[in-house]
Amino acid sequence: MTHVNHYKEITADFAAAIKRINSYGFTVRNQTVFLNHVNDYFVTLAKTFRRMFWVGVHPYYLLQCHKEKGIVHFISPIQVGQIYMKHMQGWLSGIVRPNYAVNIEGGGGKVLLMPLNYDNLNIDLKIEDKISESKAKVYTWDDKEIFDYEALGRATPDEYNKALRIMDKFIGRKGVFVPKIILIDNNGNYIETTNRTKLPTFEKQKKAVLLGYETNQSGMPITNPAKISKKLDELYQKSTFSKK
């Protein structure tokens, strides 16, 4: 099991090591953590999963970040992760898309967070239609129910503002560090959730541009290599893999 969170970690040395492991018959799988300010972007995740597979690693899990002290600013909302996973469907090979899951703190094991594309209750509500609440009921794999589970970390306004000042000074400018945090008072009561920004939206053409795909007349990605075999041959001849 490897632990790659970003495609820039997939180096030539990494690929060579994976090739040696694969040559002995071992399967290598990866667990990526969904991280605010690191990989919480559609293109970043897609590139990470694709390049990982190209070097012989199977993307196994995309895990929601744990609520551990000192790292809560890395947590990105589950709803955003679900939207990204939804829009990778059909645009990435099924064997390249990992399972999106959360390893529930305090027991409960891994709980799948994959988005549903089937409106079970006929309520005409999609994952992108409304910004989610900061807490929700969770059903675990072993039939437990966890009420009011909060995916985001908690902090008092003073703790939050102190963290902003530290990161602004570290980065050198303001407004870059935008953690999603549940603010509470000194008694633990909910005040607000920070940076509840507009949810990401995607259209076919936008996804094609972001992923570098050519499309047909209807805007769908060209998935049959035979249709662009000439161009693929030209690209291969220009690549580092061609023996010139």
Side-chain angles (χ1 to χ4, degrees):
M1 191 70 67
T2 54
H3 189 89
V4 176
N5 291 327
H6 195 283
Y7 61 83
K8 288 187 177 180
E9 297 177 277
I10 304 172
T11 63
D13 287 341
F14 178 87
I18 296 301
K19 186 176 181 179
R20 289 198 299 273
I21 295 171
N22 288 157
S23 70
Y24 285 95
F26 293 101
T27 297
V28 183
R29 293 185 174 183
N30 185 81
Q31 299 191 42
T32 295
V33 181
F34 186 40
L35 298 170
N36 186 37
H37 291 299
V38 176
N39 60 18
D40 62 334
Y41 183 47
F42 180 76
V43 175
T44 305
L45 288 176
K47 282 185 177 181
T48 302
F49 300 149
R50 288 191 303 188
R51 294 185 186 187
M52 194 184 302
F53 189 74
W54 292 344
V55 300
V57 178
H58 179 251
Y60 184 40
Y61 274 118
L62 174 66
L63 292 172
Q64 185 68 12
C65 184
H66 275 184
K67 296 179 292 183
E68 299 290 348
K69 186 175 181 180
I71 64 169
V72 294
H73 55 283
F74 282 121
I75 302 176
S76 199
I78 288 174
Q79 185 181 15
V80 174
Q82 289 178 322
I83 291 173
Y84 289 158
M85 295 302 294
K86 173 182 177 180
H87 287 280
M88 286 181 196
Q89 175 70 32
W91 292 79
L92 293 185
S93 171
I95 55 177
V96 175
R97 285 198 324 141
N99 285 314
Y100 183 31
V102 57
N103 202 348
I104 299 293
E105 295 87 353
K110 291 184 176 70
V111 175
L112 289 182
L113 301 173
M114 300 296 283
L116 286 175
N117 292 312
Y118 183 81
D119 187 5
N120 296 61
L121 303 178
N122 292 316
I123 57 177
D124 294 325
L125 191 64
K126 296 185 294 184
I127 190 69
E128 303 99 334
D129 288 341
K130 182 181 178 182
I131 294 179
S132 63
E133 300 298 327
S134 59
K135 57 188 178 182
K137 184 188 292 185
V138 173
Y139 303 96
T140 70
W141 67 274
D142 55 350
D143 298 324
K144 294 188 179 73
E145 291 186 6
I146 299 176
F147 293 90
D148 295 339
Y149 173 76
E150 294 178 344
L152 302 179
R154 287 183 158 215
T156 64
D158 288 342
E159 291 171 331
Y160 176 72
N161 290 324
K162 181 180 179 181
L164 286 183
R165 290 193 297 270
I166 292 172
M167 291 304 296
D168 287 345
K169 184 177 180 180
F170 174 76
I171 295 170
R173 56 193 174 100
K174 296 182 179 180
V176 178
F177 181 65
V178 284
K180 286 80 171 173
I181 301 291
I182 296 172
L183 294 185
I184 56 172
D185 61 24
N186 292 326
N187 295 319
N189 298 313
Y190 176 86
I191 300 175
E192 65 172 321
T193 304
T194 66
N195 299 307
R196 289 166 65 90
T197 54
K198 185 179 180 181
L199 294 171
T201 57
F202 297 95
E203 298 173 354
K204 286 190 292 186
Q205 193 56 42
K206 178 182 177 181
K207 284 190 280 190
V209 172
L210 289 174
L211 297 174
Y213 289 167
E214 290 193 16
T215 58
N216 57 25
Q217 292 180 344
S218 64
M220 295 301 291
I222 296 174
T223 56
N224 185 352
K227 293 183 178 181
I228 54 171
S229 58
K230 184 177 179 181
K231 183 171 183 179
L232 289 175
D233 288 339
E234 292 173 354
L235 290 172
Y236 170 73
Q237 294 299 327
K238 295 178 182 178
S239 74
T240 58
F241 302 100
S242 174
K243 295 181 179 179
K244 299 176 182 178

